[in-house]
Amino acid sequence: MRSMSSLDISIVLREIEEDVIGARVDKVYHHVPNEIRIKLRGKGRIDLVIEAGTRFHPTQFPKEAPRFPSSFAMLLRKHLENARLTAVEQHDFDRVVILTFEREERKRVVAELFSKGNVILTDENYRVIMPLKHTVRVGETYRFPEKRVTPLDIESAEDLRGILDDREIVRVIASKLGTGGLYAEEILQRAGVDKSKKAGELEDEELERIVMEMRRLFRPEEIRPHIVHENGKYLDYQPVELLKYSGYEKKYFEKYWMAIDSFFSAKTVERVEEREKKSEVLERLNARLKSQIEAKERFEREMELNRRIGDLIYENYTKIEAIHSAFLKARESRGWDEIEKIIREQQRAGKLKEVKGVVPRENAVDVEVDGHVIRLWLNRSIPEIAEEYYSRAKRFREKLEGVLKAIEKTKEELKRAEEVEERKMLSSIRVARKREWYERYRWYVTSEGFLVIGGRNAEMNEEVVSKHMERRDLFFHTEMPGGSATILKNGQEAGERSIREAAEFAGIYSALWKEGKHSGDVYYVKPEQVKRAARPGEYLPKGSFFIEGKRNYVTVEMKAAIGVDISNLRLLGGPVEGVRKHCDHYVVIEIGDVDFNQFSIQVAKKLVEVAGDEEKHIVRSIATPDEVAKFLPPGRSRIVEAK
């Protein structure tokens, strides 16, 4: 995964300068080990990401804030919070970015994007206050990398000839001009010059072509920001079309920083998924479960074996008693060594084949019956021996019962841990965007484009009606109490389809769903029919309303959808028709048996699954479990369709 080049940095800085200059620092985060995120308040929210040695750009997909800030993050907050960003510059067309902040005093953040890189807080004179990495010392003056010739310094064939040596031309351009191998090869391919040709052998006309193509690449008149991908896997990001990637698929963006942001966000998701697979908690629980299952299988085998041996003793009682009596009699006059010798002699003669050996320390002999070895203790009767095996079977059954309980407990712990890991993974990045006023409520856009809003609780129900219901709207509610006070904005101008969808919205977010009713009645009235004060002698609970006059009723089915609108980087939930029209990917849900919290994870996961590979990181950042939960109906649900 390549770091940003000098060209990348210069383009990104031009794109963002107007938006970030003058913005104030709201918060600073440190994502260990190398990533700093500066949250700015300006014309809107802007999250600047600095990853030492790798990248600098705004992000639409910030990572979840760390639970505990690092000491470096705390220091940056101390010096930068509420400071104004007054300048953002690239040093000498190098991979160094300088951010200047002003509060009582001027402070600078130097971001090194070369090699392993660093992020360094300095005063206005570049005296180091604190580095992220201790490659520089606190108190010393920061030294910028030694200036070298860049492609922007090469104006003519004579300028280029001045830096040539006797190496191959591709190596000279890549190293002496700092273009890197990819751009060096691109320049030479465009110029029609053999990259392996010795630099000193080049003709003036060849050098002029190289200079011209270098200018076109590093001073592009027009850029086409894009990500290069293959089979859904992101390979590279570029501001201009390169000949090397002419045969590859490309995804284009409005701004170059958006392409870079999308590229690195996708890579972040890949790393998170890989870490989730290697979760220490899950590994430990899975190892414990494996061990318990192996113990269960062993106890089952031992229980069945001992029970079977007990049965065999009674099934072959006469034969076993005869063997037992014979050995008991032999022991009266012979020692175990002599008995063993006799057994060997008899077995050589083809007799006593069922005897498998003697166990002197237990005063016992092992015999084989029907493929099972039975130990006959000479100091016990045959029924006592059978009872010993039955007792063993009982002890293994008790152990089995214990391990079965332990397995269930581990499975429950594993399920909870998987939910925690899934929630962490699905929430690892989230979209940062400007939210509309209505997004603090329940909201929906009908298939005809009309806005529907509703309260999330009694307080919001009152707010929706008192602050946002206007003369041309329509008010919707269920006959059953305990629902969202729903407003169809400009509803009196809406068609039947929007009225039906608004009624469905009111039904979905009501007690009808919570109580498992698969259909129900919703009424709608004009604003002037909705009274916030009760009749004389009556009482209205908070968030309730009194309706005057005729009500219009609509019978609705309890079916909903939740989807991702990628172009607007947002989630949408409510009746199926509107979600289907406005969303790129969606799931259809109905009343089911999955509880609210678990279902939010299921829906988030399913939306990521149905997205294309190049969109998964975007969908993941939009459809986090917490965001999905805002659009879920109350009560239990299930997924019936995903598209």
Side-chain angles (χ1 to χ4, degrees), residues 35-243:
E35 186 177 322
I36 304 298
R37 174 161 61 92
I38 303 175
K39 182 180 173 184
L40 300 173
R41 302 186 314 272
K43 298 175 182 177
R45 170 178 172 169
I46 303 168
D47 288 85
L48 287 179
V49 171
I50 305 170
E51 187 174 356
T54 305
R55 58 185 173 132
F56 169 83
H57 58 83
T59 181
Q60 293 176 292
F61 313 108
K63 294 178 182 177
E64 186 175 24
R67 286 187 62 189
F68 303 105
S70 69
S71 57
F72 189 62
M74 293 296 287
L75 183 89
L76 290 177
R77 291 178 186 181
K78 175 184 173 183
H79 286 273
L80 301 181
E81 274 190 3
N82 208 37
R84 191 181 298 278
L85 179 59
T86 57
V88 55
E89 310 161 83
Q90 181 179 18
H91 179 73
D92 285 342
F93 198 67
D94 205 341
R95 287 186 290 166
V96 178
V97 176
I98 308 160
L99 294 90
T100 302
F101 298 90
E102 292 190 12
R103 201 170 59 189
E104 293 86 4
E105 298 176 349
R106 183 176 294 166
K107 301 286 169 58
R108 304 187 198 274
V109 171
V110 180
E112 298 177 344
L113 306 184
F114 53 80
S115 186
K116 295 181 179 179
N118 205 344
V119 179
I120 304 150
L121 176 67
T122 78
D123 66 13
E124 66 176 323
N125 298 313
Y126 295 100
R127 186 175 61 85
V128 175
I129 297 172
M130 182 61 70
L132 175 62
K133 301 178 183 179
H134 294 288
T135 55
V136 295
R137 293 181 180 178
V138 174
E140 71 179 22
T141 299
Y142 176 76
R143 294 184 179 181
F144 288 96
E146 186 177 340
K147 180 172 172 53
R148 65 181 179 185
V149 181
T150 74
L152 301 185
D153 297 321
I154 304 299
E155 299 286 351
S156 64
E158 185 178 344
D159 290 339
L160 181 57
R161 190 176 292 283
I163 66 164
L164 299 183
D165 54 32
D166 54 3
R167 291 180 297 165
E168 297 169 344
I169 182 60
V170 68
R171 293 181 180 275
V172 174
I173 294 174
S175 60
K176 287 200 171 184
L177 297 181
T179 65
L182 176 66
Y183 286 159
E185 290 187 14
E186 178 72 18
I187 291 165
L188 294 172
Q189 189 175 356
R190 290 183 178 191
V193 175
D194 183 354
K195 66 179 182 179
S196 61
K197 194 169 184 178
K198 297 294 183 181
E201 298 174 359
L202 292 172
E203 302 291 337
D204 286 347
E205 190 268 336
E206 290 176 304
L207 293 177
E208 287 172 0
R209 293 204 308 270
I210 292 172
V211 172
M212 181 178 65
E213 296 302 336
M214 193 182 301
R215 185 180 300 115
R216 286 177 177 171
L217 183 60
F218 283 90
R219 292 177 177 173
E221 293 180 3
E222 182 181 350
I223 64 170
R224 294 200 69 197
H226 62 275
I227 288 175
V228 180
H229 61 98
E230 186 175 41
N231 300 322
K233 187 175 179 62
Y234 285 1
L235 303 178
D236 199 0
Y237 50 91
Q238 289 295 333
V240 294
E241 303 277 8
L242 299 187
L243 294 174

Side-chain angles (χ1 to χ4, degrees), residues 316-332:
N316 298 273
Y317 195 95
T318 303
K319 178 181 179 181
I320 289 174
E321 186 179 41
I323 296 171
H324 185 268
S325 297
F327 275 97
L328 192 60
K329 187 174 182 180
R331 279 290 289 138
E332 292 175 357

Side-chain angles (χ1 to χ4, degrees), residues 291-537:
S291 175
Q292 289 170 338
I293 290 173
E294 289 172 351
K296 165 186 167 289
E297 293 170 349
R298 185 171 69 254
F299 294 157
E300 286 174 336
R301 288 194 304 269
E302 292 293 341
M303 181 183 71
E304 180 58 29
L305 175 63
N306 283 280
R307 186 195 61 77
R308 179 60 186 144
I309 290 175
D311 291 345
L312 280 173
I313 290 172
Y314 283 108
E315 290 170 9
N316 298 273
Y317 195 95
T318 303
K319 178 181 179 181
I320 289 174
E321 186 179 41
I323 296 171
H324 185 268
S325 297
F327 275 97
L328 192 60
K329 187 174 182 180
R331 279 290 289 138
E332 292 175 357
S333 56
R334 292 179 173 85
W336 282 110
D337 290 342
E338 187 178 354
I339 289 172
E340 267 193 293
K341 183 178 179 182
I342 293 170
I343 291 171
R344 285 196 296 271
E345 290 173 353
Q346 290 292 315
Q347 287 179 337
R348 281 196 290 270
K351 300 176 182 179
L352 298 180
K353 288 183 179 179
E354 65 271 24
V355 178
K356 293 301 174 184
V358 296
V359 189
R361 69 180 181 279
E362 294 187 31
N363 194 31
V365 59
D366 289 341
V367 297
E368 184 177 340
V369 178
D370 198 18
H372 292 81
V373 175
I374 303 172
R375 181 157 294 179
L376 303 178
W377 292 274
L378 301 186
N379 57 349
R380 301 187 194 183
S381 66
I382 301 302
E384 287 175 337
I385 294 171
E387 183 57 33
E388 170 63 25
Y389 280 103
Y390 285 134
S391 295
R392 289 184 180 183
K394 182 180 179 181
R395 289 196 294 272
F396 278 114
R397 186 179 70 245
E398 290 170 350
K399 288 183 179 181
L400 177 61
E401 289 171 354
V403 81
L404 286 173
K405 289 179 182 177
I407 286 172
E408 287 307 308
K409 183 178 178 182
T410 301
K411 284 182 176 178
E412 288 174 7
E413 288 183 40
L414 192 57
K415 183 180 178 181
R416 287 196 297 271
E418 285 172 345
E419 286 181 4
V420 169
E421 291 298 325
E422 279 189 335
R423 184 174 287 276
K424 280 166 55 180
M425 180 181 71
L426 292 166
S427 303
S428 57
I429 59 173
R430 64 194 189 286
V431 68
R433 63 178 178 84
K434 180 183 178 183
R435 294 180 183 261
E436 302 295 338
W437 65 267
Y438 50 78
E439 292 189 58
R440 66 184 299 264
Y441 307 106
R442 296 193 188 280
W443 66 278
Y444 167 77
V445 179
T446 72
S447 56
E448 295 176 327
F450 287 83
L451 175 66
V452 179
I453 60 172
R456 297 184 184 276
N457 50 45
E459 187 176 323
M460 279 193 174
N461 279 346
E462 285 196 359
E463 196 175 302
V464 163
V465 171
S466 63
K467 290 186 177 181
H468 301 294
M469 187 168 68
E470 299 174 303
R471 187 171 58 85
R472 300 302 300 167
D473 298 342
L474 289 176
F475 174 89
F476 292 75
H477 206 282
T478 58
E479 284 289 358
M480 183 181 291
S484 180
T486 299
I487 307 296
L488 175 60
K489 300 299 293 176
N490 292 314
Q492 295 177 44
E493 299 170 10
E496 286 298 319
R497 186 186 303 173
S498 290
I499 290 174
R500 170 165 287 280
E501 289 174 31
E504 289 174 353
F505 180 94
I508 290 165
Y509 297 111
S510 76
L512 289 172
W513 192 291
K514 190 172 184 178
E515 295 185 10
K517 309 288 186 184
H518 289 272
S519 64
D521 289 333
V522 175
Y523 67 82
Y524 66 93
V525 296
K526 293 180 179 180
E528 58 265 27
Q529 294 178 253
V530 182
K531 306 299 181 183
R532 295 172 58 201
R535 291 170 174 170

